[in-house]
Amino acid sequence: MKITNIRKNKIYYISLLGLLLSLACTLYYLESLFITPFFPLPGGKVGIANIISLIAIYMLGLKEALIITIFRVIIVNIILGGFLNISFYLGFFGGIASTLVMGALAKSNISLISNSIIGALTHNFVQLLIVMFFVFHSAILYYAPFLIIFGIITGFFNGVVGGYVLRFIKKYSRGEL
């Protein structure tokens, strides 16, 4: 459900990108406030801001989703004081990789939920590689099964929410609401 006429109206296009970026930053920031020691996986997050990247892929395209992902990670890490630390690299490279994979899969017949799950697994796999680079120890791979299970759960959740939002936008744009 790409909105093809969006790029014709530059003001609407830039406003929509800004709105999606600000929403992604807000979700990313809010999620960072609620990470506690009681969360099931150390450093684990649901990744609700990735819902916006998923929506952008299906609404606008891969280029716009990458813009939102890259600027979201940079802006929020500057605000949180984590620019260029390990959490920045985890979010930055994990976000880019998952957005690229989801963008490529969006052109196939794969469902939005399956696409979201594969994106979450890609994000987790890239983050695991980055942690291995910083830690220099292969024992970190024992964390992989937990990340796979967590990635499937969070990818499913984000895919369901993203699907609902996209259906709402489609109905709204047709004047059905």
Side-chain angles (χ1 to χ4, degrees):
M1 183 208 64
K2 282 192 184 176
I3 300 174
T4 54
N5 296 335
I6 248 175
R7 288 184 185 89
K8 290 180 183 177
N9 185 340
K10 296 281 186 197
I11 294 172
Y12 182 75
Y13 175 73
I14 291 171
S15 298
L16 181 60
L17 276 178
L19 180 66
L20 290 173
L21 175 60
S22 64
L23 184 56
C25 287
T26 302
L27 291 173
Y28 191 91
Y29 177 75
L30 287 174
E31 187 174 27
S32 73
L33 294 177
F34 296 109
I35 300 300
T36 67
F38 306 110
F39 204 67
L41 292 175
K45 292 177 15 174
V46 177
I48 56 175
N50 292 324
I51 295 170
I52 305 303
S53 298
L54 189 65
I55 290 168
I57 287 170
Y58 283 92
M59 270 183 63
L60 300 169
L62 178 60
K63 179 182 86 170
E64 289 82 359
L66 276 172
I67 290 169
I68 291 168
T69 300
I70 290 168
F71 282 107
R72 173 197 79 205
V73 174
I74 291 171
I75 290 168
V76 176
N77 276 284
I78 288 172
I79 291 170
L80 294 175
F83 188 63
L84 299 180
N85 68 9
I86 190 168
S87 69
F88 169 78
Y89 292 114
L90 293 173
F92 188 76
F93 291 112
I96 289 173
S98 65
T99 302
L100 287 171
V101 168
M102 290 188 302
L105 291 175
K107 296 176 182 173
S108 70
N109 288 334
I110 194 167
S111 73
L112 185 130
I113 293 173
S114 297
N115 194 357
S116 178
I117 291 170
I118 293 169
L121 292 173
T122 302
H123 199 284
N124 289 347
F125 177 72
V126 169
Q127 287 183 328
L128 195 61
L129 290 176
I130 292 169
V131 169
M132 282 178 53
F133 176 77
F134 281 104
V135 174
F136 299 114
H137 201 283
S138 63
I140 197 73
L141 290 176
Y142 292 116
Y143 201 47
F146 301 105
L147 287 176
I148 291 170
I149 293 167
F150 193 65
I152 291 170
I153 294 168
T154 60
F156 179 81
F157 171 78
N158 290 342
V160 168
V161 172
Y164 279 126
V165 171
L166 282 170
R167 280 193 291 282
F168 177 81
I169 291 170
K170 188 175 184 179
K171 284 182 179 182
Y172 183 79
S173 67
R174 287 189 295 199
E176 295 177 8
L177 293 178

